[in-house]
Amino acid sequence: AQIDGFLLFWVALGLYGIGRHLLLGPDWRWFALGGFAAGIGVITKGVGFLPLLLPLVALLLARFAGFQLPGRVRGGWRWWLAPLAALAGISLWLVPMVVQVATSDDPALVSYRNEILFQQTVTRYADAWHHHRPFWFFVAEVIPGLWLPAIALLPWLVVRWRDAWRARDPRPWLFLGWAVLVLLFFSASSGKRGVYILPALPAYVLAAAPFLPELWRRASVQRLGAVLTLLAA
């Protein structure tokens, strides 16, 4: 069993909540819910915090590329809703765990605390002791095969993403920018497995979503779908 599938749910919910606020907002309730999902994602696996980087991508798109995002309004203290909600989600596990370890003399619990807070998170990322792979591992060896069938639409999507960039349509580029950021984040670590990059997949799907109804009507896409179905079978 892998925890990465469960993590994927919280990442997708975090992206949806925060993305809904940025693209359709302002909607501070969804913004806070997205942050809370990221917090539960951290409990599931340390990298669950990544959806909280979505507002940073929105800021970069707005400042340096001229994109207009409805949710980028002056919210004052409300911009802290997502981080605070994430901390609340993390605290559901972190506080009882720390209290239990502090009030116990059990060395096994102390070892568990140190292992889960440091060894399996910071140390594993910065100084991985196994699964060593080159920087381009995810791009060359993981995404082309493990992201099927979604990645097979890339030849059609690239053209539509280009047109969206020219039209300053933020819907695909908010999630694409985040996916690239996540790809760079995981590629920077020497330790890599195929499931590590899984959190970027829902962002890729969300970036494709505005164009899927039109793509499904294309005969070439339907033929490709038939071929992939036969290969899978």
Side-chain angles (χ1 to χ4, degrees), residues 131-183:
H131 304 305
H132 292 144
R133 296 290 189 274
F135 182 83
W136 57 85
F137 172 70
F138 293 118
V139 173
E141 300 185 37
V142 176
I143 292 176
L146 293 185
W147 282 23
L148 286 172
I151 200 66
L153 293 173
L154 194 58
W156 291 273
L157 288 172
V158 165
V159 177
R160 284 151 183 82
W161 288 339
R162 179 202 62 192
D163 294 341
W165 179 271
R166 291 173 176 173
R168 292 301 185 263
D169 181 354
R171 292 176 300 165
W173 283 100
L174 178 65
F175 299 111
L176 275 178
W178 184 87
V180 170
L181 195 63
V182 170
L183 176 62

